[in-house]
Amino acid sequence: MAADPKMTKLPPAAELMKLHGVSRGVVLRAFNALQREGIAEPVPGGRWRVVKVGERADRRPLEDRIADIITDEGLPVGAAFPSASVLADRFGVSRPTVTKALDKLEAAGVLAGGGQGRVRTVRAVPIREERS
């Protein structure tokens, strides 16, 4: 990480095991040590990312962060919503993880449509709770 200041993701555990000839337990202990020192943190999907100095991670559920797109980008009711693939790239998670979050937003009445080959649309603008 020191050699590559632009590094944002740590290599997968399997790659580190093979590269250094160590067990999975050793790699996981190293990841946990990096987490205790505030250098890295786990992300959904079993990956780890580098925490940049002064960076504040958004630890809210993915569906809340996705819902923020509607208000942040001013999407009106009826507007097309970004695809699961676009959102997966944007949030650095897998497409199935995004699909689960989108399904929760559909169940909550925030999004409409979806399904294979269909575009999701905004059904309602979510109300943000004030944080103190």
Side-chain angles (χ1 to χ4, degrees):
M1 289 182 297
D4 185 4
K6 293 182 182 179
M7 179 184 279
T8 59
K9 294 181 182 177
L10 295 176
E15 186 178 318
L16 292 171
M17 290 165 47
K18 184 176 180 181
L19 182 66
H20 298 287
V22 296
S23 70
R24 182 170 181 77
V26 170
V27 172
L28 294 177
R29 284 192 298 274
F31 283 158
N32 287 331
L34 292 172
Q35 184 178 18
R36 281 191 305 275
E37 294 177 20
I39 297 171
E41 67 181 4
V43 294
R47 297 288 192 136
W48 286 75
R49 74 176 193 95
V50 177
V51 177
K52 301 297 181 190
V53 176
E55 180 181 88
R56 187 171 173 216
D58 188 350
R59 301 204 188 292
R60 295 177 301 140
L62 182 59
E63 59 268 16
D64 292 347
R65 293 183 282 149
I66 290 174
D68 282 350
I69 293 171
I70 297 169
T71 52
D72 292 347
E73 297 182 9
L75 297 177
V77 172
F81 200 72
S83 70
S85 297
V86 169
L87 294 170
D89 288 342
R90 181 172 178 168
F91 291 101
V93 297
S94 70
R95 208 171 79 236
T97 300
V98 169
T99 300
K100 288 177 186 175
L102 291 171
D103 290 344
K104 288 179 182 179
L105 291 172
E106 282 185 32
V110 175
L111 296 177
Q116 189 170 355
R118 293 178 37 207
V119 176
R120 281 184 177 85
T121 58
V122 176
R123 179 184 278 173
V125 177
I127 299 169
R128 286 187 175 175
E129 293 180 16
E130 293 299 320
R131 296 178 201 12
S132 49

